C-alpha cells in the first residue's frame, strides 16, 4: 500500500510548485499583467472580431499538462482581446468600475493563504475583517449598531438576500403571496424583479409607481396606491427604492419614502448598488438623506470603490432579521458553535465556503485611505456634468441634469427617425472601439447613456468620447445626405 501511495504522490506533489517554478510562473503572469496595464491607455475599449475568441476551444482540457506561456498566449488572443475591455477608462457603458490593481494583490494573497472566511471559529481574523468592512459601510450610510450585513459576490445577490429577508421579517407565507403587493418603479434594476421571482414572490402584485420628470418615485402616487391596496384588504409589505438608478442615476426621495414605509410598516429596501458610495462625495451627500432609515441597502464595492468584479454588499439595519432567514445548523458543523465575538458570514448569507473577498477591499481601502475615494468619486460627478454641458453644445438632446455620474442623451437628426439614428450611432461607436457606450429605452424612447465610474475614466477619456460621437454623427449625417442626393 505504501508503494502505491508513494507512486501516486509523485504526481500529487506536482500541485505544489517548487520555489523555482513558482518564481517562473510569477514572472510570466507579472509580465502579462504589466503588458496589459501598460497598454490600457492606448488600447481600444471594445474590439470587434468575427471569431469572438473561438480559438479558445482549440485548447480543451486534456489529461496532460500545458505550458503557462502557451496558455497566456491563448488568453491574450481569445479572452483579453475580443469584446469589451472593462478595465479601460473608455468603458463608459452599463456601470463600470475599472478594477483597481490592489484588488488583484488582495485576491492573490486570499488565494495563496486560502483563509476560510465563512465561519468565525475557522478564521476569526478573516471574519473580523469582513465585518469591520461591513460596519464601515453601515457607518457610511448612517445605520445604528444593530446593523451588519454580508459581503456578496455582487449587487444582484445582495438584492436577492435582502428580499428573502424582507419576506420572512414581514411574515409573508405562501398563502399570503397573492395578497402582498411590492412597490417599486419601472426604473429599478432588473435584478430586483429577478430576486422577487427567485425568492418565491413572483405572484406578489408588483405595483409600478409613477416617476417624476427626473425618473424619481412619485411619493403621492405611492401613497395613493398603498391606500388603495389597504382598502382592498391587501398586505403591502415591501417598498424598493433606488439610490442611483442604472438608467439615469436618479435617487428616489428616500426620506419621504422612509416616512411612508415607517407609517405603513413595510420593509424598506434601498438599492444603492451603483450610487451608494457617492455618500463619500460632499456634492451629493445630502441627496441620500433618509437612506439611514431603510431596513436594508445594497451597495457595490465593485462599482463605487472601483474593485475588480466580484464584490457587492448587503447592509441590514437589524442583523437579527438577516440571521433568521439564513442561519442553519448542520451536525457536521457542531464544533463551530460558541460564544463568538463576531457573527459569521455563513449564518448571514446563502454561502458556506466562500471567497475571502474582504481582503481585496480591506487592502484597497487601507492602501489608499478613504480620501482618495472621495476625490475620485467627486471627479466622476464633475466629469459627467462636463459631458452634459459639452454634448448639449454639440447639439444633442439631453435627459435630466445628472444627479450622479450617469446621464442620457440622443441626437435629433434633421430628418429621419431619431431612434434608428441613435441606434446606428451607438453601433458605429462600438465598431470604432476607442470608447464604449451603451443605450437604453425609456418610455419607448431610445437614449444613449454615459456612465462615468471607472477610476480610469478621466477628462482625456471624456473628451475622446465627445470627439468620437461628434465624428460619428457627422459621418452618419453625410452618408444620409449622400443617399438622399443619389
Ligand atoms: C449593477 C446594479 C445592480 C446589480 O449588481 P451586480 O453587482 O451587477 O450584480 C443592482 N442594482 C443597481 C442599481 C445596479 O446598478
Amino acid at each position: 500500500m505504501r508503494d502505491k501511495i508513494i507512486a501516486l504522490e509523485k504526481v500529487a506533489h506536482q500541485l505544489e510548485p517548487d520555489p523555482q517554478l513558482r518564481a517562473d510562473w510569477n514572472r510570466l503572469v507579472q509580465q502579462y499583467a504589466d503588458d496589459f496595464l501598460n497598454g490600457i491607455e492606448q488600447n481600444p475599449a471594445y474590439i470587434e472580431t468575427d471569431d469572438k475568441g473561438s480559438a479558445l476551444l482549440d485548447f480543451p482540457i486534456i489529461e496532460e499538462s500545458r505550458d503557462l506561456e502557451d496558455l497566456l498566449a491563448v488568453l491574450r488572443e481569445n479572452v483579453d482581446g475580443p469584446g469589451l475591455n472593462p478595465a479601460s477608462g473608455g468603458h463608459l457603458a452599463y456601470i463600470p468600475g475599472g478594477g483597481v490593481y490592489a484588488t488583484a494583490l488582495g485576491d492573490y494573497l486570499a488565494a495563496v493563504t486560502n483563509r476560510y472566511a465563512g465561519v468565525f471559529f475557522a478564521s476569526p481574523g478573516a471574519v473580523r475583517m469582513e465585518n469591520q468592512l461591513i460596519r464601515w459601510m453601515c457607518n457610511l450610510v448612517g445605520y445604528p449598531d444593530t446593523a451588519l450585513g454580508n459581503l456578496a459576490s455582487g449587487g444582484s445577490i445582495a438584492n436577492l438576500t435582502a428580499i428573502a429577508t424582507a419576506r420572512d421579517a414581514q411574515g409573508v407565507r405562501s398563502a399570503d403571496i397573492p395578497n402582498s403587493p411590492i412597490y417599486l418603479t419601472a426604473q429599478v434594476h432588473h435584478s430586483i424583479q429577478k430576486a422577487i421571482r427567485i425568492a418565491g414572490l413572483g405572484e406578489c402584485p408588483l405595483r409600478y409607481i409613477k416617476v417624476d420628470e427626473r425618473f424619481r418615485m412619485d411619493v403621492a402616487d405611492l401613497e395613493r396606491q398603498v391606500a388603495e391596496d389597504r382598502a382592498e384588504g391587501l398586505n403591502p409589505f415591501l417598498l424598493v427604492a433606488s439610490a442611483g438608478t442604472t438608467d439615469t442615476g436618479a435617487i428616489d426621495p428616500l426620506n419621504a419614502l422612509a416616512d411612508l414605509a415607517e407609517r405603513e410598516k413595510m420593509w424598506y429596501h434601498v438599492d444603492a448598488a451603483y450610487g451608494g458610495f457617492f455618500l463619500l462625495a460632499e456634492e451629493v451627500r445630502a441627496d441620500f438623506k433618509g437612506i439611514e432609515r431603510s431596513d436594508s441597502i445594497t451597495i457595490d464595492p465593485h462599482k463605487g470603490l472601483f474593485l475588480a468584479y466580484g464584490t457587492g454588499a448587503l447592509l441590514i439595519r437589524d442583523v437579527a432579521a438577516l440571521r433568521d432567514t439564513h442561519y442553519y445548523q448542520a451536525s457536521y458543523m457542531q464544533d463551530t458553535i460558541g460564544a463568538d465575538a463576531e457573527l459569521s458570514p455563513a449564518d448571514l448569507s446563502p454561502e458556506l465556503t466562500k471567497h475571502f473577498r474582504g481582503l481585496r477591499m480591506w487592502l484597497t481601502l487601507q492602501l489608499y485611505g478613504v480620501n482618495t475615494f472621495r476625490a475620485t468619486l467627486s471627479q466622476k460627478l464633475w466629469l459627467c456634468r462636463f459631458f452634459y454641458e459639452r454634448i448639449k453644445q454639440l447639439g444633442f438632446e439631453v435627459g435630466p441634469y445628472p444627479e450622479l455620474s450617469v446621464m442620457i442623451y440622443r441626437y435629433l437628426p434633421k430628418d429621419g427617425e431619431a431612434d434608428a439614428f441613435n441606434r446606428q450611432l451607438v453601433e458605429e461607436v462600438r465598431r470604432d472601439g476607442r470608447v464604449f457606450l451603451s443605450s437604453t429605452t425609456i418610455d419607448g424612447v431610445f437614449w444613449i447613456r454615459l456612465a462615468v465610474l471607472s477610476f480610469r475614466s478621466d477628462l482625456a477619456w471624456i473628451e475622446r468620447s465627445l470627439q468620437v460621437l461628434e465624428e460619428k454623427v457627422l459621418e452618419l449625417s453625410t452618408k444620409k445626405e449622400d443617399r438622399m442626393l443619389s
Side-chain angles (χ1 to χ4, degrees):
M1 206 193 293
R2 277 183 70 87
D3 289 350
K4 171 83 182 160
I5 292 172
I6 286 163
L8 288 170
E9 279 185 354
K10 263 205 152 102
V11 180
H13 281 163
Q14 290 175 17
L15 292 174
E16 189 74 271
D18 63 26
Q20 183 57 54
L21 182 57
R22 221 158 55 216
D24 290 348
W25 279 355
N26 286 351
R27 183 176 45 75
L28 289 169
V29 168
Q30 181 74 55
Q31 188 58 55
Y32 185 94
D34 283 345
D35 288 350
F36 180 84
L37 291 178
N38 292 339
I40 199 85
E41 287 297 317
Q42 297 82 47
N43 286 336
Y46 191 90
I47 299 179
E48 189 153 282
T49 62
D50 288 337
D51 63 3
K52 297 186 166 46
S54 62
L56 182 69
L57 303 179
D58 299 340
F59 283 77
I61 310 299
I62 53 172
E63 289 290 330
E64 293 75 28
S65 63
R66 298 193 199 263
D67 270 352
L68 181 55
E69 237 169 331
D70 297 341
L71 297 174
L72 291 175
V74 171
L75 194 62
R76 177 176 284 130
E77 274 308 303
N78 301 291
V79 179
D80 289 327
L84 166 64
N85 179 359
S88 168
H91 174 24
L92 299 160
Y94 313 119
I95 303 286
V100 286
Y101 186 65
T103 319
L105 299 181
D107 275 2
Y108 178 75
L109 293 176
V112 168
T113 62
N114 200 26
R115 295 308 300 199
Y116 175 58
V119 173
F120 183 78
F121 166 82
S123 190
V127 171
R128 264 190 218 287
M129 182 184 284
E130 295 206 352
N131 286 352
Q132 178 189 23
L133 291 163
I134 294 164
R135 285 197 191 94
W136 174 72
M137 290 184 280
C138 287
N139 198 41
L140 176 67
V141 302
Y143 268 177
D145 291 346
T146 54
L148 199 64
N150 184 246
L151 281 189
S153 56
S156 301
I157 299 297
N159 278 336
L160 172 61
T161 310
I163 283 169
T165 303
R167 176 197 64 203
D168 295 352
Q170 289 278 319
V172 174
R173 302 166 59 115
S174 55
D176 308 319
I177 287 173
N179 301 320
S180 301
I182 298 172
Y183 304 85
L184 67 176
T185 74
Q187 287 293 307
V188 296
H189 189 270
H190 73 276
S191 60
I192 294 290
Q193 288 101 334
K194 204 164 137 179
I196 287 170
R197 200 179 63 205
I198 299 170
L201 300 172
E203 290 159 39
C204 288
L206 295 190
R207 302 295 194 222
Y208 285 97
I209 304 304
K210 279 191 205 138
V211 292
D212 65 13
E213 72 292 344
R214 287 167 65 184
F215 305 107
R216 298 172 302 189
M217 192 184 285
D218 178 334
V219 184
D221 190 49
L222 173 65
E223 233 162 351
R224 183 199 54 75
Q225 182 68 60
V226 172
E228 198 179 301
D229 288 338
R230 285 261 184 242
E232 283 181 27
L234 301 182
N235 167 43
F237 83 102
L238 172 59
L239 169 61
V240 179
S242 308
T245 58
T246 315
D247 269 352
T248 67
I251 304 175
D252 286 330
L254 300 178
N255 206 38
L257 294 178
D259 289 340
L260 199 135
E262 215 169 84
R263 203 166 64 229
E264 298 288 340
K265 299 191 170 45
M266 289 190 279
W267 185 278
Y268 180 26
H269 177 65
V270 177
D271 183 357
Y274 153 62
F277 284 108
F278 281 103
L279 276 160
L280 290 168
E282 276 315 311
E283 293 90 338
V284 291
R285 192 180 162 78
D287 300 339
F288 290 85
K289 187 170 169 35
I291 197 171
E292 73 286 354
R293 297 171 64 198
S294 63
D295 295 295
S296 53
I297 297 171
T298 288
I299 184 168
D300 261 2
H302 66 198
K303 289 177 178 168
L305 290 183
F306 323 116
L307 299 190
Y309 294 146
T311 312
L314 170 64
L315 312 177
I316 294 255
R317 159 186 285 280
D318 176 11
V319 67
L322 185 60
R323 192 170 182 277
D324 286 348
T325 291
H326 294 94
Y327 176 81
Y328 218 93
Q329 189 56 51
S331 53
Y332 79 96
M333 295 282 289
Q334 62 192 12
D335 300 338
T336 68
I337 308 173
D340 289 340
E342 290 285 347
L343 289 172
S344 293
D347 295 332
L348 302 176
S349 77
E351 288 183 297
L352 180 59
T353 307
K354 67 187 278 287
H355 180 215
F356 177 18
R357 51 179 76 94
L359 184 50
R360 46 173 27 215
M361 181 172 170
W362 182 84
L363 196 65
T364 301
L365 283 168
Q366 297 281 15
L367 278 173
Y368 289 104
V370 177
N371 63 13
T372 308
F373 294 90
R374 286 186 201 285
T376 309
L377 285 160
S378 286
Q379 177 218 21
K380 303 311 159 198
L381 294 173
W382 287 105
L383 285 171
C384 191
R385 294 168 182 184
F386 176 84
F387 182 94
Y388 178 91
E389 301 298 345
R390 294 289 305 277
I391 199 81
K392 226 164 71 173
Q393 284 164 13
L394 287 178
F396 280 71
E397 182 187 8
V398 289
Y401 190 77
E403 239 169 306
L404 296 174
S405 68
V406 176
M407 60 161 289
I408 51 172
Y409 52 96
R410 61 193 199 128
Y411 193 78
L412 298 180
K414 268 197 226 74
D415 29 53
E417 219 243 318
D419 280 11
F421 185 93
N422 285 282
R423 192 170 287 120
Q424 180 124 36
L425 181 55
V426 179
E427 201 160 300
E428 291 301 327
V429 172
R430 193 192 64 218
R431 208 165 288 151
D432 176 274
R434 277 174 287 173
V435 300
F436 184 71
L437 302 169
S438 62
S439 68
T440 188
T441 297
I442 304 179
D443 298 331
V445 177
F446 187 96
W447 293 92
I448 308 179
R449 285 173 70 253
L450 179 84
V452 194
L453 197 62
S454 168
F455 74 97
R456 289 196 179 97
S457 297
D458 56 10
L459 198 52
W461 279 110
I462 296 300
E463 287 183 326
R464 203 168 301 153
S465 68
L466 287 159
Q467 186 192 338
V468 172
L469 280 164
E470 191 176 9
E471 275 174 36
K472 295 297 157 191
V473 164
L474 197 66
E475 274 174 35
L476 284 176
S477 307
T478 331
K479 247 192 241 161
K480 210 156 70 184
E481 270 167 36
D482 287 352
R483 261 206 317 274
M484 287 186 353
L485 289 177
S486 62

